[in-house]
């Protein structure tokens, strides 16, 4: 324990590339899992595997490509080096890195670790997600009028400050095309592709598209419904 405490200042610097990589990679994870309505990251083992890979690989590389084992003076130059390494990790990942002891194809190992994590996430989420969206598509096909739901999505995307102007325009164009489609099946399919709202807002959106309160209560028992008739 004393040895660990002695190393704590250097371990803090060593962690910088890993923290940067997790922060950047989390956006990709969120995008990849946006259509998993019941996804709870902190309760999913695959996410912990993903986080370990995202954190440990850049930390390990930084250790192997610097003199951290000699406990160098912790100054702004060392911290800057750690920051630069973290920011440049994507470029480093796509190259073969010579550590001085062996040549390691980081991209292959890194990608395999991430795929293992995603496989674990998929094994838990895929079945129930497919069943859920199949039920939603069936409800959309039976809904007498999709206008209220489309209006909700228009207002949702228009007021989402996290979207760029280009993203808002792209979504609006797709929404404008929805009700012009010739068949209800085509409309339902197009709407499903646009249901990338935040999980907390999903029940309220589905209510606008004709999902019954019983259906929402079954799948989202803790949700707060603040819209609809």
């Amino acid at each position: 324990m004393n040895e660990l405490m002695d190393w704590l200042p250097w371990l803090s610097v060593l962690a910088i590339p890993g923290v940067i990589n997790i922060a950047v990679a989390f956006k990709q994870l969120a995008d990849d899992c946006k259509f998993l309505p019941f996804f709870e990251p902190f309760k999913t083992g695959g996410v912990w595997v993903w986080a370990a890979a995202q954190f440990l690989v850049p930390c390990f590389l930084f250790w192997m490509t610097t003199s951290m084992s000699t406990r160098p003076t912790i100054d702004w130059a060392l911290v800057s080096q750690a920051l630069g390494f973290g920011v440049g990790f994507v470029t480093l990942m796509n190259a073969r890195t010579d550590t001085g002891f062996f040549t390691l194809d980081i991209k292959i190992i890194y990608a395999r670790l991430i795929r293992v994590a995603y496989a674990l996430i998929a094994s838990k989420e895929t079945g129930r997600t497919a069943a859920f969206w199949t039920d939603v598509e069936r409800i959309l096909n039976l809904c007498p009028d999709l206008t209220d739901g489309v209006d909700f999505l228009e207002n949702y995307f228009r007021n989402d400050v996290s979207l760029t102007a280009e993203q808002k325009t792209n979504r609006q164009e797709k929404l404008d095309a929805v009700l012009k489609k010739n068949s209800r099946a085509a409309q339902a399919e197009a709407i499903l592709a646009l249901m990338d709202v935040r999980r907390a807002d999903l029940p309220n959106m589905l209510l606008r598209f004709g999902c019954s309160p019983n259906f929402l209560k079954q799948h989202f028992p803790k949700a707060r419904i603040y819209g609809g008739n």
Side-chain angles (χ1 to χ4, degrees):
M1 180 62 70
N2 289 336
E3 181 70 15
L4 179 62
M5 294 302 295
D6 290 342
W7 271 98
L8 190 58
W10 290 274
L11 291 176
S12 299
V13 176
L14 185 65
I16 290 174
V19 171
I20 292 174
N21 190 50
I22 282 184
V24 173
F26 186 79
K27 175 62 167 60
Q28 182 63 52
L29 178 70
D31 287 344
D32 291 341
C33 298
K34 65 184 179 182
F35 282 109
L36 302 181
F38 314 113
F39 181 54
E40 296 180 284
F42 297 112
K43 296 182 180 180
T44 305
V47 173
W48 292 104
V49 175
W50 171 88
Q54 299 286 6
F55 180 78
L56 293 176
V57 170
C59 291
F60 170 76
L61 285 176
F62 185 59
W63 173 276
M64 297 300 294
T65 55
T66 62
S67 58
M68 290 296 289
S69 60
T70 64
R71 300 191 190 187
T73 301
I74 297 177
D75 53 17
W76 177 242
L78 183 64
V79 173
S80 297
Q81 186 178 2
L83 289 169
F85 191 95
V87 172
F89 177 71
V90 172
T91 301
L92 183 67
M93 181 185 65
N94 286 279
R96 294 184 67 85
T97 304
D98 189 354
T99 66
F101 299 100
F102 52 89
T103 299
L104 187 63
D105 192 334
I106 297 303
K107 181 178 180 180
I108 291 177
I109 294 177
Y110 180 77
R112 285 179 178 175
L113 289 172
I114 300 304
R115 293 319 306 170
V116 167
Y118 271 64
L120 291 172
I121 294 172
S123 68
K124 180 178 180 181
E125 301 293 335
T126 304
R128 59 178 177 172
T129 297
F132 173 79
W133 287 118
T134 299
D135 289 341
V136 171
E137 186 172 13
R138 175 180 54 79
I139 292 170
L140 289 176
N141 277 294
L142 296 174
C143 182
D145 187 1
L146 298 174
T147 305
D148 191 38
V150 172
D151 287 344
F152 177 89
L153 282 178
E154 287 181 339
N155 284 303
Y156 188 91
F157 295 139
R158 186 181 301 121
N159 291 283
D160 188 344
V161 297
S162 72
L163 298 177
T164 65
E166 183 180 357
Q167 288 173 321
K168 290 181 180 183
T169 299
N170 179 263
R171 283 168 168 76
Q172 185 60 55
E173 290 174 350
K174 291 180 178 179
L175 283 168
D176 289 340
V178 165
L179 298 181
K180 296 178 182 179
K181 293 185 179 297
N182 295 326
S183 68
R184 174 52 62 86
Q187 291 175 344
E189 184 177 354
I191 288 172
L192 282 176
L194 287 165
M195 287 186 168
D196 56 339
V197 302
R198 295 169 182 84
R199 288 183 187 85
D201 300 324
L202 182 58
N204 293 282
M205 179 200 66
L206 293 175
L207 182 67
R208 301 283 185 167
F209 279 108
C211 292
S212 70
N214 288 337
F215 176 84
L216 297 174
K217 185 177 180 180
Q218 174 188 352
H219 291 287
F220 308 100
K222 298 180 180 179
R224 293 183 60 189
I225 306 299
Y226 48 79
N229 296 323

